[in-house]
Amino acid sequence: PQFATETYGRAIRSQTLDGDPLEIGQQIPGPRYRLVRPLGKGGSAEVFAAQHIDLDRQAAVKILSPKVALNERARAQFRREARACSRVQHPNIVDVLDFGELDDGRFFFAMELLDGQSLADILDRDGPLPASRVLGIARQVCKAAQAAHENGIVHRDIKPANIMLVERDGRPDFLKVVDFGVMAFADDNQKKRVGTPGYMAPEQVRGAPPTTAMDIYALGMTIYECLTGGLPYPTDSLKAFSAAQAKGQPPALASCGEGVPEPLARAVHRALERNPAARQLSMADLESDLLRAQEESGISSPWDDLREPQNLTDERPRNRRPSLPRRIIQSPQSNGTFWIAGALSLMLIASALL
């Protein structure tokens, strides 16, 4: 199924700059890059595959849109995005190679060019993914986001469209987190509602200042989507999403996702708690919960050689059960209901005998 991925907070209305249209094959004025093909376009920037003329090296070049090029807030955010990616220096975060300014005043930065697919494209094509594959993907996102958080950076838009899967050293599903376009620093107290409906935490919908708990919720929702093939709330508008989200927790994973083990469902629903304090306290703690769920469920993942999470901060009992929604009970025509009733009867008989 297709889901809307409109990102709120990116379109910035301001003065516009009458820059010359950029053509494929044209050398970018000023810097030494030649555009090869378009890769994507957002509310405030365009991304192109490009070739460095002198180094003969390919890159992905992100260029600030002319319509926001004179807006100081947009320029400052664009520079912060480039600096954030460059500061973290993590193998699971896209590398920034260069930053500069075009002759017409627009900022640009060059990143490594990734040859792969977004997780969103994979979900659109394949639907739900097996838990073994999801765990390898999720643990890599945890490591990338933990590194960003340790550098004081909150992504604020973790979702399948911003997770690229590439082949690295012959191994598929090596992961790169991209698009820090709405990132914020953790010490920023500015209240601003940004993100993508479907993945925004309740406090993010309300416009609360940025916190790492927002990224934990977004990754929890991304894992939920990977396991079920869909999102539990409507995403066609922020209003519809927030109204549905306010009604309660998503349906239990163990009920709506085939082959989702209960320990894994508990870890994901913990990340989706409405109260930020009830979620895992860090991405490392979320990864630890996922790893523990994997071990309890006896699942083998292609990425089991990843280093175990470090610097855990959550000292609460690891077996605490989150407030899971009620499981969906099978219909009377199904044998499942009778198995449940039979099991309860046996438990009552055993208690009486004791």
Side-chain angles (χ1 to χ4, degrees), residues 305-347:
D305 58 339
L306 290 173
R307 185 184 181 189
E308 292 192 6
Q310 307 293 311
N311 303 323
L312 302 181
T313 58
D314 195 346
E315 297 180 354
R316 296 172 295 185
R318 309 304 292 171
N319 60 354
R320 185 186 72 84
R321 294 179 65 88
S323 54
L324 284 177
R326 185 180 300 277
R327 294 189 63 175
I328 300 172
I329 303 299
Q330 300 181 33
S331 64
Q333 291 78 13
S334 167
N335 290 333
T337 302
F338 297 109
W339 278 110
I340 295 172
L344 290 173
S345 299
L346 287 174
M347 290 173 63

Side-chain angles (χ1 to χ4, degrees), residues 220-276:
M221 197 58 81
T222 296
I223 299 172
Y224 189 106
E225 183 179 6
C226 288
L227 292 170
T228 65
L231 290 168
Y233 304 126
T235 59
D236 51 334
S237 71
L238 182 61
K239 182 179 180 180
F241 166 70
S242 60
Q245 185 187 57
K247 293 180 180 179
Q249 291 287 95
L253 268 172
S255 300
C256 60
E258 295 184 7
V260 180
E262 187 72 25
L264 178 56
R266 287 201 303 268
V268 175
H269 279 287
R270 187 177 187 182
L272 296 177
E273 290 278 8
R274 292 185 55 79
N275 180 2

Side-chain angles (χ1 to χ4, degrees), residues 43-343:
S44 61
E46 297 177 85
V47 183
F48 298 88
Q51 187 89 7
H52 194 285
I53 296 172
D54 298 313
L55 302 179
D56 194 27
R57 177 178 180 175
Q58 289 193 326
V61 175
K62 187 170 186 176
I63 304 174
L64 197 60
S65 171
K67 67 180 181 180
V68 297
L70 295 180
N71 182 283
E72 287 304 319
R73 189 174 63 179
R75 290 167 65 88
Q77 180 66 24
F78 193 80
R79 189 189 294 272
R80 279 196 295 268
E81 177 186 359
R83 286 179 172 175
C85 295
S86 180
R87 177 194 293 186
V88 179
Q89 293 288 304
H90 190 274
N92 293 121
I93 292 178
V94 64
D95 287 332
V96 171
L97 311 172
D98 195 8
F99 185 93
E101 187 173 351
L102 306 185
D103 288 346
D104 60 12
R106 281 179 285 171
F107 283 161
F108 79 93
F109 62 84
M111 307 168 283
E112 59 177 324
L113 181 63
L114 301 174
D115 183 13
Q117 290 182 295
S118 73
L119 181 56
D121 289 339
I122 292 173
L123 289 173
D124 286 343
R125 184 191 66 208
D126 300 337
L129 304 179
S132 58
R133 187 179 184 188
V134 175
L135 282 162
I137 292 171
R139 288 189 62 199
Q140 291 181 77
V141 179
C142 284
K143 292 185 182 300
Q146 177 70 18
H149 294 171
E150 289 175 355
N151 281 272
I153 295 165
V154 181
H155 190 284
R156 294 202 293 185
D157 202 21
I158 292 176
K159 59 184 179 182
N162 288 338
I163 297 170
M164 290 292 297
L165 299 177
V166 301
E167 184 176 306
R168 182 65 53 90
D169 298 328
R171 300 180 67 180
D173 286 354
F174 183 83
L175 181 147
K176 289 280 188 176
V177 176
V178 302
D179 197 351
F180 282 70
V182 295
M183 58 74 57
F185 294 107
D187 59 358
D188 184 355
N189 293 321
Q190 181 181 7
K191 295 182 178 181
K192 188 177 181 181
R193 187 166 62 183
V194 297
T196 300
Y199 308 93
M200 297 167 69
E203 68 275 15
Q204 193 171 357
V205 172
R206 296 192 299 267
T211 66
T212 57
M214 294 177 179
D215 285 350
I216 290 172
Y217 184 96
L219 179 53
M221 197 58 81
T222 296
I223 299 172
Y224 189 106
E225 183 179 6
C226 288
L227 292 170
T228 65
L231 290 168
Y233 304 126
T235 59
D236 51 334
S237 71
L238 182 61
K239 182 179 180 180
F241 166 70
S242 60
Q245 185 187 57
K247 293 180 180 179
Q249 291 287 95
L253 268 172
S255 300
C256 60
E258 295 184 7
V260 180
E262 187 72 25
L264 178 56
R266 287 201 303 268
V268 175
H269 279 287
R270 187 177 187 182
L272 296 177
E273 290 278 8
R274 292 185 55 79
N275 180 2
R279 299 171 202 153
Q280 292 87 353
L281 297 185
S282 71
M283 279 291 184
D285 291 308
L286 173 54
E287 184 188 0
S288 179
D289 275 4
L290 293 173
L291 190 56
R292 181 171 178 267
Q294 178 182 342
E295 293 170 351
E296 291 180 1
S297 306
I299 299 174
S300 177
S301 164
W303 289 91
D304 284 346
D305 58 339
L306 290 173
R307 185 184 181 189
E308 292 192 6
Q310 307 293 311
N311 303 323
L312 302 181
T313 58
D314 195 346
E315 297 180 354
R316 296 172 295 185
R318 309 304 292 171
N319 60 354
R320 185 186 72 84
R321 294 179 65 88
S323 54
L324 284 177
R326 185 180 300 277
R327 294 189 63 175
I328 300 172
I329 303 299
Q330 300 181 33
S331 64
Q333 291 78 13
S334 167
N335 290 333
T337 302
F338 297 109
W339 278 110
I340 295 172

